[in-house]
Amino acid sequence: MRGFNVMFPQGGWDCHGLPTEVKVEEIHGITKNDVSRDEFRQMCVI
């Protein structure tokens, strides 16, 4: 950053998809272990 102070906020990052996994589990009333990996991925994409 060439010697300048730069604000680099850390909040709001998707930590390896965990917030997405949690939301999908809440919406569908399941845990990711209740369905196949491919099925769970598909739920995350939709």
Side-chain angles (χ1 to χ4, degrees):
M1 297 292 151
R2 300 190 180 159
F4 292 95
N5 291 329
V6 176
M7 181 174 166
F8 191 69
Q10 296 291 321
W13 290 14
D14 187 355
C15 299
H16 309 287
L18 186 59
T20 301
E21 287 181 14
V22 171
K23 191 64 176 174
V24 168
E25 289 174 339
E26 286 177 4
I27 289 171
H28 295 283
I30 61 165
T31 68
K32 65 181 179 181
N33 297 323
D34 292 339
V35 295
S36 71
R37 180 178 288 187
D38 289 334
E39 189 176 354
F40 190 77
R41 275 193 198 145
Q42 192 62 30
M43 290 178 187
C44 291
V45 171
I46 294 175

